Amino acid sequence: MTKRKVSGGTRSDAGRDCRDAFLGLAKTCAKLGISSWDYLGARLVIAGNPAIPYLPQLVAQRCQQPNPPGLLPLLHFCLLSN
């Protein structure tokens, strides 16, 4: 029997973990309304990228708002972290 390559899958556990981490980062950035590429550029100190605070700071700021706009999962995180 021939083992078939699964389209869109990863070849290793490390690859799966890396994909999951980047997807989580992308989703969190989208919920906060920032570009994940800009966030990565800020963390890697790439010239020309905007200065963006670390995600925990952004989440904490968002939790301080009286009504976080359309961010139910983030609101849930805020409630659990207090």
Side-chain angles (χ1 to χ4, degrees):
M1 176 178 267
T2 303
K3 187 175 180 180
R4 293 190 175 134
K5 181 179 172 184
V6 177
S7 178
T10 61
R11 292 185 174 196
S12 66
D13 289 341
R16 183 196 65 231
D17 293 342
C18 184
R19 180 201 61 207
D20 292 347
F22 277 98
L23 284 175
L25 174 70
K27 287 183 178 186
T28 302
C29 287
K31 288 177 185 177
L32 292 170
I34 60 174
S35 164
S36 56
W37 291 112
D38 287 344
Y39 181 78
L40 285 173
R43 299 290 67 81
L44 297 172
V45 193
I46 295 175
N49 280 327
I52 299 176
Y54 287 99
L55 287 180
Q57 293 172 336
L58 293 172
V59 170
Q61 289 172 0
R62 189 61 58 99
C63 289
Q64 299 304 318
Q65 293 180 357
N67 294 315
L71 296 175
L72 187 57
L74 203 54
L75 180 61
H76 182 70
F77 173 79
C78 294
L79 295 174
L80 291 176
S81 64
N82 288 333

